[in-house]
Amino acid sequence: MTTYRISAPRLRRSRLRFHQRQRPALLPLLAVWALTRAGMLWLLAHDTLGIGGVGREVHVLYRHWYEQLVHGVLPVDEVTWQYPPGAALVLLAPGAVPGLTYFEAFVALTLLADAAVLLLLARAGAGGAWYWTCALPLLLHTPLVRYDVQVTALAVAALLAVGAGRARLGGALAGLGALVKGWPVLTLVGTPRGLATRRSWASALAAAVGGAALLAVAFPQALGFLRHQGNRGVQIESVGGTLLSLAHLAGWPGRVVYRYGAFEFTGPHVGVVAGVSLVLTFAVLVWLAVWRVRALHWSDATAPDAALLAVLLCTVTSRVISPQYLVWLLGLAAVCLTSRNTTQRPVALLLLPAAALSALAYPVLYLDVLAVTPLGCAVLLARNGLLVAAAWVSWRRLWEDTAPDVLRVP
């Protein structure tokens, strides 16, 4: 079978289209961004929702870690530390902002990263910029007090750099993102075959390995987080957790407990559900490799489309789904919408109600979720059902767009 390659003239035309995409009028976009972010800040300032408030993670946990990190100590002995060593840089950054408390500085830097995503998307195309501006507030104020906006900014910048023909820069940004939270390496799964793939993956590997080596010098036991990550169970908000919640309503005797920094199920057959989740995630990674080998048709939208699909599939098969995972998906969907050739418009639409339901599950109805009430189960079932549906639609549309004609789904 002949291997499809994008010719140099076609690549140049694709990059020209990338730079010629319609850009939004910046003033109205910034006005809406400022208004919506002011609303998110108001919610954060008046936060009485959830257990201990949504901002508690920054007030207590991040601040606690910061006090150790500033002395060169990674909190690897704490089961709640489950992040790659690059996360230390994000958590140390607020301490360098003068005149603000740690909490205020963290929120300010998150808003700065949010604005950076907006400007990057505005430069690439109107659809993505407006989508990001209007979609992120559906998660209420949670994105302001998690560091996922910063990680998403790296992933968005990586995809846009690859799309603009700057494969080395895109790879380096993806590698740095992986060093902070792992998943941004999936942004490179759809890079065009040939030179772009070799350059981006080599750059990503160099950035990740080089950064990890430097951090290992500054922070001993930099890879200790893997031990705690491997011991994770089934979080109540995951797809597997939803199945266990429904089983609990039907009489299954499992319980919800707090461990490893999240609320998880314990009881009979939980280990089986966790094991199946891991097998499915591995199968997803194998399928993505097969897709790269079999795909023949590439466009300027293939890289962001494949990145969104990869993260979606890994999300729905994961043992853990936290509300901030939607930040990743919304950011990747926004990049997809910068291209007229994207196959992922229906997926981007499905993610909007999924984000709103995520905010309903946490923080609004989180007590119902933890108590496994019918209302809490219904919200999670609807949200996770939308994510599974989005993953299916994403897979089918990308496969039909890129696969050989004889292998397309009838």
Side-chain angles (χ1 to χ4, degrees):
M1 184 175 66
T2 57
T3 301
Y4 178 85
R5 293 180 182 273
I6 303 177
S7 65
R10 183 172 178 178
L11 267 178
R12 285 193 293 270
R13 290 195 299 270
S14 176
R15 291 169 187 171
L16 183 61
R17 286 195 299 270
F18 178 89
H19 289 292
Q20 289 178 340
R21 292 169 190 163
Q22 183 181 3
R23 297 178 183 176
L26 199 56
L27 190 58
L29 184 64
L30 289 175
V32 174
W33 181 88
L35 183 63
T36 53
R37 274 46 180 186
M40 294 167 71
L41 283 170
W42 186 91
L43 287 173
L44 184 60
H46 297 79
D47 179 28
T48 58
L49 300 172
I51 296 178
V54 174
R56 176 180 171 83
E57 193 150 331
V58 177
H59 273 302
V60 178
L61 189 59
Y62 288 6
R63 173 72 189 188
H64 166 67
W65 286 340
Y66 167 79
E67 291 172 354
Q68 296 182 60
L69 294 170
V70 78
H71 294 102
V73 178
L74 277 177
V76 292
D77 293 329
E78 299 182 19
V79 295
T80 51
W81 178 260
Q82 299 160 19
Y83 307 107
L89 301 179
V90 180
L91 298 176
L92 282 169
V97 179
L100 298 177
T101 67
Y102 183 86
F103 181 83
E104 292 168 345
F106 185 93
V107 173
L109 291 175
T110 303
L111 284 170
L112 188 63
D114 177 14
V117 173
L118 171 71
L119 294 175
L120 286 169
L121 290 168
R123 187 173 183 271
W130 278 108
Y131 183 87
W132 172 258
T133 299
C134 299
L136 194 65
L138 293 174
L139 294 169
L140 303 181
H141 47 304
T142 299
L144 297 180
V145 282
R146 302 293 187 271
Y147 77 87
D148 297 86
V149 174
Q150 290 88 322
V151 182
T152 301
L154 289 171
V156 167
L159 278 171
L160 293 176
V162 170
R166 305 175 70 181
R168 288 194 180 95
L169 175 60
L173 290 169
L176 291 175
L179 197 59
V180 176
K181 207 159 190 178
W183 69 267
V185 72
L186 293 173
T187 58
L188 302 181
V189 73
T191 51
R193 289 179 187 154
L195 191 60
T197 290
R198 290 194 295 272
R199 285 178 173 175
S200 61
W201 278 97
S203 182
L205 184 63
V209 172
L214 291 174
L215 286 166
V217 173
F219 301 103
Q221 298 181 310
L223 299 180
F225 74 98
L226 293 173
R227 181 174 71 255
H228 304 314
Q229 192 64 252
N231 292 330
R232 293 293 298 267
V234 179
Q235 187 182 9
I236 192 170
E237 296 166 78
S238 67
V239 173
T242 300
L243 297 177
L244 292 174
S245 295
L246 295 173
H248 183 80
L249 289 179
W252 175 69
R255 296 186 303 113
V256 177
V257 298
Y258 183 80
R259 62 179 189 176
Y260 296 104
F263 288 94
E264 300 179 347
F265 275 110
T266 61
H269 313 303
V270 172
V272 174
V273 176
V276 170
S277 296
L278 290 172
V279 170
L280 289 175
T281 300
F282 178 75
V284 162
L285 298 176
V286 171
W287 181 86
L288 288 170
V290 171
W291 167 77
R292 271 201 66 92
V293 172
R294 304 306 296 268
L296 289 182
H297 309 289
W298 241 268
S299 74
D300 63 316
T302 302
D305 287 1
L308 177 58
L309 171 60
V311 177
L312 250 176
L313 290 175
C314 288
T315 297
V316 298
T317 59
S318 174
R319 296 167 294 169
V320 179
I321 297 181
S322 296
Q324 57 266 30
Y325 286 24
L326 271 294
V327 176
W328 317 345
L329 298 172
L330 294 175
L332 295 176
V335 180
C336 293
L337 294 177
T338 62
S339 172
R340 294 180 179 178
N341 296 320
T342 184
T343 62
Q344 302 298 300
R345 284 189 176 84
V347 180
L349 291 175
L350 285 171
L351 290 176
L352 296 177
L357 285 167
S358 291
L360 195 58
Y362 178 86
V364 179
L365 295 175
Y366 201 47
L367 292 177
D368 285 277
V369 170
L370 296 181
V372 198
T373 67
L375 177 59
C377 289
V379 171
L380 284 183
L381 181 62
R383 192 280 303 273
N384 288 340
L386 282 169
L387 290 180
V388 171
W392 168 257
V393 173
S394 180
W395 168 79
R396 181 166 182 136
R397 290 180 68 85
L398 181 66
W399 179 258
E400 290 179 346
D401 186 62
T402 60
D405 293 340
V406 295
L407 294 178
R408 296 191 183 188
V409 180

